[in-house]
Amino acid sequence: MFNNRTKQIMRLTAALFVMIQLSLTSAHASDDFGMWGSLNAEKQLNDRWGLGAEVEYRSRDNMKSGDRWSFGLEGNYQITGWLKASAGYTLLDDHHYKENSKGTMYSDYWSIRHRFNVSLTGSVSWGKFTFSLRERWQYSYRPEKTAQQYVIGTDAEAGEKVYSGKGKNVWRNRLQVKMKLSQVFRPFVNAESTVSKELEKMRYNFGTELHVDKHHSFDIKYIYQHMCGEDNDEPDRHVIGLGYTYKF
């Protein structure tokens, strides 16, 4: 009745529906919900060298406002059969909403950040399973930004505020298990920590890759992000992630 391609689309739609329901029913009152979408391009230059590019959009506040646009470039090198090195740069445009200490004024603005990263990823296979550990150093720099302030509850302007430039180093650790269920489906689950002076957040992902052919693939995943740092005022977040990758 249905061809294979139609069945794949139906399964992907059903999985998306289940993940959205899971996200909404498991959220606490103080948690946030958003969607992350990405477009990726990858080129394998030879047996060892590869290049990649990504454009991503993120929403927050229960999908009512934008959180981030980003564009990234990455190069990778296969050191051995089980160890890969990579380095990349990402340009981020972040949306900020900040109130002053008295709660009388706020700023609502977008600002640029520059991000650099260097990673080592080790992986081993066992049957249909692949286990991998990625260790990543990441440095982000936000240039100085002057933003207009407004009076809370109105659109009345209340002068400008200068937000100083700031740099930050973090260490990210990701442990992942992926299964080659079929030529099409590659389910995966992973956990990633972000550490600066202390553990700042944990991010948990589970989903599947959907390989249509050698050039086209999709991924769909549910993400739970738990904020750990005492000084971090961001809420925990439930996210549905959708991605498309084209391989040259």
Side-chain angles (χ1 to χ4, degrees), residues 3-49:
N3 59 33
N4 290 334
R5 184 63 56 81
T6 302
K7 290 179 180 178
Q8 292 170 6
I9 295 174
M10 292 174 64
R11 290 170 181 167
L12 182 62
T13 303
L16 176 60
F17 177 78
V18 170
M19 288 183 179
I20 291 176
Q21 290 300 311
L22 175 63
S23 176
L24 294 177
T25 55
S26 62
H28 297 96
S30 60
D31 291 354
D32 191 18
F33 173 72
M35 293 194 74
W36 298 354
S38 64
L39 297 174
N40 305 272
E42 297 180 0
K43 173 64 175 179
Q44 194 65 36
L45 301 177
N46 52 44
D47 291 342
R48 292 188 179 272
W49 288 98

Side-chain angles (χ1 to χ4, degrees), residues 6 14 35 37 44-45 61 67 102 104 118 132 134 138 158-159 166 183 189-190 197 199 210 215 225 231 243 247:
T6 302
M35 293 194 74
Q44 194 65 36
L45 301 177
D61 300 331
D67 184 40
K102 297 180 181 179
T104 58
V118 177
S132 64
R134 186 184 71 188
Q138 176 181 289
K166 184 178 180 180
Q183 291 298 321
V189 59
N190 65 56
K197 295 180 181 179
L199 177 62
L210 179 65
H215 295 296
Q225 182 170 278
D231 296 332
K247 294 184 178 181

Side-chain angles (χ1 to χ4, degrees), residues 117-240:
N117 70 79
V118 177
S119 306
L120 280 175
T121 304
S123 60
V124 293
S125 296
W126 181 62
K128 293 184 177 182
F129 294 91
T130 299
F131 302 84
S132 64
L133 175 64
R134 186 184 71 188
E135 298 291 334
R136 169 172 288 182
W137 165 78
Q138 176 181 289
Y139 174 75
S140 302
Y141 178 72
R142 182 192 67 204
E144 182 179 288
K145 174 70 176 183
T146 301
Q148 181 65 52
Q149 286 192 308
Y150 302 90
V151 178
I152 293 287
T154 74
D155 292 328
E157 296 184 356
E160 295 181 335
K161 181 175 177 60
V162 177
Y163 295 93
S164 301
K166 184 178 180 180
K168 185 177 183 179
N169 290 282
V170 299
W171 192 261
R172 298 172 61 174
N173 314 270
R174 190 192 70 183
L175 181 63
Q176 176 170 277
V177 181
K178 183 187 295 185
M179 178 185 182
K180 187 175 181 180
L181 188 62
S182 68
Q183 291 298 321
V184 176
F185 289 97
R186 313 284 172 86
F188 61 86
V189 59
N190 65 56
E192 183 178 39
S193 64
T194 300
V195 180
S196 182
K197 295 180 181 179
E198 61 179 357
L199 177 62
E200 292 190 347
K201 63 184 174 185
M202 290 294 302
R203 185 179 293 170
Y204 306 94
N205 298 256
F206 77 86
T208 185
E209 296 176 357
L210 179 65
H211 290 251
V212 179
D213 54 38
K214 66 179 182 179
H215 295 296
H216 306 277
S217 65
F218 298 87
D219 67 84
I220 174 173
K221 57 190 174 184
Y222 164 73
I223 306 161
Y224 175 62
Q225 182 170 278
H226 173 58
M227 307 306 297
C228 305
E230 294 181 359
D231 296 332
N232 202 315
D233 57 359
E234 287 189 44
D236 293 341
R237 187 164 293 164
H238 302 263
V239 177
I240 298 300

